[in-house]
Amino acid sequence: MKLLLLLLLLTFLLSHETRADEIIGGKESRPHSRPYMAFLSIKRNKSWYSCGGFLIRRDFVMTAAHCAGDSIRVILGAHNITNSERTWQDINVKRQIHHPKYNEQNLLNDIMLLKLEKKASLTEAVTILPLGSRSNSISPGQECLAVGWGWTGPRGPPSDTLQEVELTVMNRSDCKVFRNFDARSQLCVGNPNSWKSVFFGDSGGPLVCSGVAQGIASYAMLNAKPPSGFTRIAHYRSWINKILKAN
């Protein structure tokens, strides 16, 4: 039986090797061409982890609920996460708001909003990514883009530079390998004929389809082969709008 894994990565941010390898089946992004991306440095139980996320309002970042921690630091405007640039905006998270029905056992409702301590300044390297809605839903066969600093192969290491990979939205039946897959609230993504996938460390990053965030990287196969599961953003728009309106 194939095992699942969270895409969360235990990362020693100051010590991992510098590599220019590609995300699994992908390539390095052109620097600052995905200006909505956020790198999350997460402290949990005296250990450091990393996740991806994306800016949806000047003071809010969206990510996966399993990326929660005791404290989170957000870096916007980054490309090489080991090389600080003038484009960087380093902001602490004031409040972590995960979906009230998030289930850490089966990863249902794996979505979280991060309220930043201060508003980000919008620049060429830092912009907001629009969110998908029920009116612009996606269909199987559509090509989308996943982005992150995760592992570049089944045995690692994580990438210092932002990577991206084109993935295909698949039929719900293609994700029957995942016992708890829920087609209403999740997207089945990948390509059975191509070894392309998100993996460790890519959690919380967006699935961008036609310039709109439609999914959040949630889980994948332990062998890094497709398919992978993404939280379906359109399913949560009412909850998202409620949180943003209240803050």
Side-chain angles (χ1 to χ4, degrees):
M1 179 179 177
K2 294 181 179 179
L3 301 177
L4 307 184
L5 54 85
L6 299 183
L7 298 176
L8 190 66
L9 171 64
L10 174 59
T11 306
F12 297 94
L13 295 175
L14 299 180
S15 63
H16 72 258
E17 295 180 357
T18 300
R19 287 282 296 269
D21 292 348
E22 300 174 355
I23 192 172
I24 297 174
K27 63 181 181 180
E28 181 177 343
S29 302
R30 181 169 54 83
H32 309 300
S33 62
R34 312 299 175 197
Y36 45 78
M37 284 300 295
F39 181 87
L40 310 185
S41 177
I42 305 158
K43 186 177 183 181
R44 183 192 297 167
N45 297 327
K46 298 183 179 180
S47 294
W48 290 95
Y49 301 80
S50 68
C51 273
F54 48 103
L55 193 67
I56 64 168
R57 202 173 78 178
R58 287 181 60 194
D59 56 347
F60 266 97
V61 165
M62 180 173 287
T63 188
H66 73 259
C67 292
D70 300 325
S71 63
I72 301 178
R73 167 189 169 212
V74 171
I75 300 177
L76 302 169
H79 177 67
N80 185 328
I81 202 60
T82 66
N83 184 20
S84 179
E85 301 178 79
R86 289 183 299 174
T87 56
W88 280 27
Q89 295 182 43
D90 195 332
I91 307 175
N92 289 325
V93 170
K94 179 179 181 180
R95 185 182 175 199
Q96 303 173 43
I97 310 169
H98 62 73
H99 193 275
K101 293 185 178 180
Y102 167 59
N103 187 319
E104 63 180 355
Q105 300 301 317
N106 58 26
L107 291 184
L108 290 176
N109 308 304
D110 191 13
I111 181 172
M112 180 167 64
L113 296 176
L114 303 177
K115 170 72 172 177
L116 304 181
E117 282 192 347
K118 64 179 182 179
K119 292 182 178 180
S121 299
L122 299 184
T123 67
E124 289 187 2
V126 177
T127 61
I128 292 168
L129 181 61
L131 299 180
S133 65
R134 295 185 185 277
S135 63
N136 62 358
S137 60
I138 55 178
S139 304
Q142 186 166 347
E143 294 293 324
C144 301
L145 190 75
V147 192
W149 286 273
W151 281 23
T152 57
R155 297 182 180 179
S159 176
D160 293 332
T161 56
L162 188 64
Q163 307 287 308
E164 61 185 61
V165 61
E166 289 187 0
L167 299 175
T168 304
V169 178
M170 303 172 72
N171 290 303
R172 66 177 67 185
S173 59
D174 293 313
C175 273
K176 60 184 179 182
V177 64
F178 302 131
R179 182 175 59 181
N180 295 306
F181 180 77
D182 176 32
R184 295 182 309 109
S185 63
Q186 297 176 330
L187 293 167
C188 184
V189 180
N191 187 327
N193 301 315
S194 179
W195 194 359
K196 297 181 179 181
S197 182
V198 290
F199 204 47
F200 281 124
D202 290 318
S203 280
L207 183 72
V208 183
C209 311
S210 301
V212 174
Q214 294 284 5
I216 304 168
S218 182
Y219 57 87
M221 301 299 297
L222 189 59
N223 59 10
K225 292 183 178 180
S228 52
F230 283 71
T231 301
R232 186 189 292 265
I233 291 174
H235 181 74
Y236 298 95
R237 282 306 301 267
S238 295
W239 175 76
I240 295 167
N241 293 341
K242 179 181 178 181
I243 297 300
L244 295 181
K245 185 176 181 179
N247 289 273

